[in-house]
Amino acid sequence: MKNKPLHVIVRFELKAGELDTLTALIRDFFEKEVSHFPGFISAKIHQNEAGTVLINYATWESTEHFHQFVMELASLSPIAQQIQAFRPTQDMVFEVSL
Protein backbone atom coordinates (compact mmCIF):
# COMPACT_ATOMS: atom_id res chain seq x y z
CA MET A 1 0.00 0.00 0.00
CA LYS A 2 1.34 3.38 -1.00
CA ASN A 3 1.72 6.09 1.62
CA LYS A 4 -0.93 8.78 1.50
CA PRO A 5 0.19 12.41 1.34
CA LEU A 6 0.15 14.15 4.70
CA HIS A 7 -1.37 17.62 5.05
CA VAL A 8 -0.08 19.58 8.02
CA ILE A 9 -2.22 22.48 9.18
CA VAL A 10 -0.61 24.95 11.57
CA ARG A 11 -2.83 27.65 13.05
CA PHE A 12 -1.73 30.83 14.77
CA GLU A 13 -3.94 33.10 16.88
CA LEU A 14 -2.30 36.51 16.48
CA LYS A 15 -2.17 39.75 18.38
CA ALA A 16 -2.30 43.11 16.62
CA GLY A 17 0.83 43.78 14.60
CA GLU A 18 2.08 40.17 14.48
CA LEU A 19 0.71 39.13 11.06
CA ASP A 20 3.35 40.71 8.80
CA THR A 21 6.25 39.51 10.94
CA LEU A 22 4.98 35.93 11.09
CA THR A 23 4.13 35.81 7.38
CA ALA A 24 7.65 36.96 6.49
CA LEU A 25 9.20 34.34 8.81
CA ILE A 26 7.11 31.52 7.34
CA ARG A 27 7.87 32.55 3.76
CA ASP A 28 11.57 32.77 4.56
CA PHE A 29 11.53 29.37 6.26
CA PHE A 30 9.81 27.65 3.34
CA GLU A 31 11.88 29.37 0.63
CA LYS A 32 15.28 28.89 2.27
CA GLU A 33 14.91 25.60 4.14
CA VAL A 34 11.72 23.58 3.74
CA SER A 35 11.38 23.66 -0.06
CA HIS A 36 14.67 21.74 -0.41
CA PHE A 37 13.79 19.02 2.09
CA PRO A 38 13.01 15.52 0.72
CA GLY A 39 9.28 14.74 0.65
CA PHE A 40 8.04 18.35 0.76
CA ILE A 41 5.35 18.98 -1.88
CA SER A 42 3.82 22.42 -1.30
CA ALA A 43 2.67 25.04 1.18
CA LYS A 44 0.14 27.84 1.38
CA ILE A 45 -0.49 30.59 3.90
CA HIS A 46 -4.03 31.77 4.66
CA GLN A 47 -5.26 34.58 6.92
CA ASN A 48 -8.63 35.74 8.10
CA GLU A 49 -9.93 39.16 7.13
CA ALA A 50 -9.13 40.71 10.50
CA GLY A 51 -5.51 39.50 10.39
CA THR A 52 -5.88 37.71 13.72
CA VAL A 53 -5.63 34.14 12.42
CA LEU A 54 -2.95 32.76 10.13
CA ILE A 55 -3.05 29.20 8.84
CA ASN A 56 -0.07 27.50 7.20
CA TYR A 57 -1.08 24.48 5.12
CA ALA A 58 1.75 22.20 3.95
CA THR A 59 1.66 18.92 2.03
CA TRP A 60 4.24 16.16 2.44
CA GLU A 61 4.68 12.92 0.49
CA SER A 62 4.20 10.88 3.69
CA THR A 63 4.10 10.97 7.45
CA GLU A 64 7.63 9.58 7.46
CA HIS A 65 8.94 12.49 5.36
CA PHE A 66 7.29 15.00 7.69
CA HIS A 67 8.67 13.35 10.84
CA GLN A 68 12.15 13.29 9.29
CA PHE A 69 11.79 17.01 8.54
CA VAL A 70 10.76 17.71 12.16
CA MET A 71 13.72 15.78 13.59
CA GLU A 72 16.39 16.98 11.17
CA LEU A 73 15.41 20.54 10.32
CA ALA A 74 12.45 22.03 12.15
CA SER A 75 13.80 21.24 15.60
CA LEU A 76 17.17 22.87 14.82
CA SER A 77 16.29 25.81 12.57
CA PRO A 78 16.63 29.32 14.06
CA ILE A 79 13.78 30.49 11.80
CA ALA A 80 11.53 27.67 13.03
CA GLN A 81 12.33 28.65 16.62
CA GLN A 82 11.24 32.23 15.88
CA ILE A 83 7.99 30.90 14.35
CA GLN A 84 7.36 28.77 17.48
CA ALA A 85 7.33 31.96 19.55
CA PHE A 86 3.95 32.75 17.90
CA ARG A 87 2.34 29.79 19.74
CA PRO A 88 1.17 27.57 16.87
CA THR A 89 -1.28 24.71 17.13
CA GLN A 90 -0.83 21.84 14.68
CA ASP A 91 -2.98 19.15 13.08
CA MET A 92 -1.87 16.39 10.72
CA VAL A 93 -4.61 15.19 8.40
CA PHE A 94 -5.03 12.84 5.48
CA GLU A 95 -7.31 13.34 2.50
CA VAL A 96 -10.33 11.05 2.50
CA SER A 97 -11.36 9.55 -0.83
CA LEU A 98 -14.98 10.03 -1.86
Side-chain angles (χ1 to χ4, degrees):
M1 182 171 140
K2 185 180 175 198
N3 285 330
K4 292 183 178 182
L6 174 69
H7 306 284
V8 179
I9 302 166
V10 182
R11 179 183 173 97
F12 299 87
E13 300 283 339
L14 302 174
K15 298 175 184 172
E18 292 182 329
L19 180 67
D20 291 341
T21 301
L22 179 57
T23 301
L25 283 169
I26 292 172
R27 283 190 178 134
D28 198 32
F29 184 51
F30 275 89
E31 287 174 11
K32 292 182 177 177
E33 299 181 13
V34 182
S35 63
H36 307 290
F37 203 87
F40 172 74
I41 296 174
S42 66
K44 300 283 185 198
I45 300 173
H46 306 272
Q47 72 179 63
N48 69 346
E49 190 172 351
T52 57
V53 174
L54 184 136
I55 297 173
N56 172 222
Y57 179 95
T59 303
W60 292 85
E61 288 180 17
S62 68
T63 302
E64 292 78 16
H65 283 102
F66 176 70
H67 288 302
Q68 184 177 2
F69 157 75
V70 170
M71 290 187 319
E72 294 180 18
L73 179 63
S75 60
L76 303 174
S77 166
I79 300 172
Q81 291 173 5
Q82 291 177 353
I83 293 169
Q84 288 297 315
F86 287 88
R87 308 156 311 278
T89 59
Q90 176 179 293
D91 290 307
M92 295 184 288
V93 298
F94 299 94
E95 191 168 324
V96 178
S97 300
L98 296 175

